[in-house]
């Protein structure tokens, strides 16, 4: 378990920036606001706003509008935090430049950047993969974008997988959802693996210490006791059907009561059938049913909070929240994270979390 006391009482809150592979310490002085946003669906983005008026080229004027420091495609890296909470927040390339000319403060410029998955977002195709697994699809797309695949994917081999007028990123996200995997990129490596296999050590956050605010909800409205997926095996000329239940999520419960179990005890059985898919084999039906059930089950308990800036808080990482009372404290998975900096509040991290269970009564 991560050490909760990893950020010194006093530390430099301003992020550090590297442009085109070179550290640029003076950029921190001009930095007015920063946002780094990431989710478990991949494609992290960054917005950095700088003061844009001052000494420039031997005179006084606009500092960042000559495309010398920042230009389209310029590599950008951002680090922040201190102690064990220090780390890399973002690595990507500039995709947009935005200028601000306010009435009551000096001009500003905002740099917008995305990570390497923007290459996949901007490539749209229509094509067919035959006798291929999802791992085969990921490797093919990674190679097309000069990315090294790091995959831990299970699932069937499909007779046909069609990418129909979709970007490579949209298609990978679709395939990842079908087999309960998460997608992200680090540098030039494309990662895809199920949530339980990410292997991150849980980071401890305590209410009114590193955890400033938290709001959480346990809601049965979206839960079901079982979920069925059906289709038709053309070769065998027979129906295929698989029913998934709490067993699909049991390994993630950590001794908690699942939403399905609480629902059954409070209101009885509530079942659902997925009808918008068409699996051709029993193996495909099983993979779809279990992936859909796990996705649904993990949303039983959802929350969002505000913490002291901590670069270890990343989408897909695990946190152990303390000081919340027995019902809601314990382990969660981060599903979305926003690292922010401004001159009023310094470096902070906003996040959303989810988990499939609550402490037994």
């Amino acid at each position: 378990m991560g050490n909760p006391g990893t950020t010194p009482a006093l530390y430099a809150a301003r992020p550090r920036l590297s442009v085109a592979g070179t550290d640029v310490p003076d950029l921190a002085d001009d930095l007015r606001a920063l946002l780094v946003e990431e989710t478990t669906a991949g494609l992290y983005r960054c917005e950095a706003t700088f003061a844009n008026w001052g000494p420039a080229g031997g005179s006084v004027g606009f500092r960042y509008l000559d495309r010398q420091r920042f230009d389209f495609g310029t590599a950008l890296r951002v680090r922040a935090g201190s102690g064990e909470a220090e780390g890399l927040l973002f690595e990507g390339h500039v995709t947009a430049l935005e200028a601000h000319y306010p009435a009551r403060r000096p001009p500003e410029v905002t740099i917008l950047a995305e990570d390497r998955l923007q290459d996949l977002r901007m490539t749209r195709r229509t094509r067919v993969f035959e006798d291929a697994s999802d791992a085969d699809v990921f490797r093919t797309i990674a190679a097309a974008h000069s990315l090294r695949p790091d995959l831990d994917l299970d699932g069937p081999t499909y007779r046909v997988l069609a990418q129909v007028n979709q970007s490579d990123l949209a298609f990978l996200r679709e395939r990842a959802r079908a087999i309960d995997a998460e997608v992200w990129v680090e540098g030039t490596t494309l990662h895809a693996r199920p949530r339980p296999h990410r292997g991150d050590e849980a980071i401890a956050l305590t209410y009114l210490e590193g955890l400033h605010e938290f709001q959480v909800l346990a809601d049965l409205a979206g839960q079901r006791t079982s979920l069925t997926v059906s289709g038709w095996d053309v070769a065998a000329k027979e129906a295929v059907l698989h029913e998934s239940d709490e067993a699909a999520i049991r390994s993630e419960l950590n001794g908690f009561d699942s939403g399905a179990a609480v629902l059954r005890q409070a209101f009885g059985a509530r079942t659902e059938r997925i009808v918008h898919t068409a699996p051709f084999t029993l193996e495909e039906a099983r993979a779809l049913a279990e992936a859909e059930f796990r996705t649904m089950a993990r949303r039983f308990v959802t929350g969002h909070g505000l913490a002291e800036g901590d670069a270890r808080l990343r989408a897909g990482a695990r946190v152990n929240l303390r000081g919340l009372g027995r019902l809601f404290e314990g382990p969660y998975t981060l599903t979305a994270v926003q690292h922010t900096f401004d001159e009023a509040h310094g470096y902070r991290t906003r996040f959303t979390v989810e988990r499939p269970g609550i402490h037994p009564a």
Side-chain angles (χ1 to χ4, degrees):
M1 181 178 296
N3 179 1
T6 54
T7 301
L10 295 175
Y11 70 98
R14 285 185 178 272
R16 283 85 66 195
L17 292 95
S18 171
V19 178
T22 302
D23 293 338
V24 188
D26 62 308
L27 277 177
D29 296 332
D30 284 339
L31 185 64
R32 295 295 174 260
L34 176 80
L35 167 68
V36 173
E37 184 173 47
E38 54 188 59
T39 73
T40 52
L43 187 59
Y44 302 167
R45 69 184 188 93
C46 175
E47 296 182 9
T49 298
F50 301 90
N52 192 30
W53 186 263
S59 61
V60 176
F62 295 108
R63 292 172 56 84
Y64 300 114
L65 295 185
D66 57 4
R67 299 176 62 181
Q68 297 303 304
R69 177 71 76 189
F70 297 112
D71 199 0
F72 298 98
T74 298
L76 178 68
R77 299 174 82 248
V78 181
R79 301 185 69 89
S82 185
E84 290 187 18
E86 190 272 344
L88 180 67
L89 298 187
F90 177 80
E91 183 175 12
H93 293 81
V94 174
T95 58
L97 304 171
E98 180 179 8
H100 308 269
Y101 306 93
R104 293 180 175 84
R105 64 178 189 273
E108 298 170 340
V109 64
T110 296
I111 309 304
L112 293 90
E114 295 176 331
D115 69 17
R116 277 294 303 277
L117 287 181
Q118 64 91 15
D119 294 345
L120 281 66
R121 178 178 61 80
M122 298 178 71
T123 304
R124 187 176 296 273
R125 310 177 198 262
T126 295
R127 59 180 168 178
V128 171
F129 295 85
E130 296 181 345
D131 297 319
S133 67
D134 286 296
D136 294 331
V137 171
F138 273 76
R139 280 190 286 266
T140 297
I141 293 178
H145 295 277
S146 301
L147 295 172
R148 183 181 70 85
D150 177 25
L151 311 177
D152 180 6
L153 300 176
D154 294 322
T157 296
Y158 305 90
R159 295 169 188 167
V160 174
L161 284 174
Q163 180 180 355
V164 181
N165 193 29
Q166 290 175 288
S167 71
D168 284 351
L169 178 59
F171 189 52
L172 285 194
R173 284 172 166 172
E174 177 186 289
R175 298 314 314 154
R177 287 193 298 270
I179 56 173
D180 186 34
E182 296 176 350
V183 181
W184 74 101
V185 68
E186 291 178 344
T188 58
T189 300
L190 175 68
H191 300 272
R193 61 187 62 237
R195 179 175 296 180
H197 296 182
R198 294 192 71 158
D200 299 317
E201 183 182 11
I203 301 157
L205 294 176
T206 303
Y207 179 48
L208 296 182
E209 293 182 20
L211 178 62
H212 299 317
E213 302 173 4
F214 188 62
Q215 182 173 329
V216 60
L217 169 70
D219 189 356
L220 290 175
Q223 298 298 299
R224 299 295 183 270
T225 53
S226 68
L227 185 150
T228 300
V229 170
S230 59
W232 182 259
D233 188 329
V234 175
K237 297 182 180 180
E238 63 182 14
V240 294
L241 179 146
H242 183 79
E243 183 180 44
S244 184
D245 57 20
E246 186 191 271
I249 198 70
R250 190 167 291 139
S251 64
E252 299 181 33
L253 286 175
N254 300 302
F256 291 173
D257 288 341
S258 70
V262 175
L263 177 61
R264 183 181 294 277
Q265 182 178 12
F267 298 104
R270 295 290 188 273
T271 64
E272 186 155 320
R273 181 181 292 268
I274 301 297
V275 298
H276 62 275
T277 60
F280 295 137
T281 66
L282 181 59
E283 190 178 6
E284 290 182 37
R286 180 184 297 109
L288 283 168
E290 293 185 353
E292 290 284 349
F293 189 91
R294 283 191 289 267
T295 298
M296 173 187 67
R298 289 169 181 151
R299 293 172 180 160
F300 174 37
V301 183
T302 58
H304 55 91
L306 173 66
E308 190 72 18
D310 191 329
R312 299 170 302 165
L313 300 177
R314 310 300 301 269
R318 292 178 295 146
V319 290
N320 186 24
L321 302 185
R322 301 170 173 176
L324 304 177
R326 186 171 184 272
L327 185 63
F328 289 120
E329 66 184 13
Y332 291 83
T333 297
L334 295 166
T335 58
V337 176
Q338 289 186 337
H339 295 280
T340 64
F341 168 83
D342 60 47
E343 295 180 308
H345 301 100
Y347 173 35
R348 302 190 298 177
T349 303
R350 298 186 180 275
F351 61 86
T352 62
V353 293
E354 65 183 20
R355 75 181 188 195
I358 56 174
H359 283 276

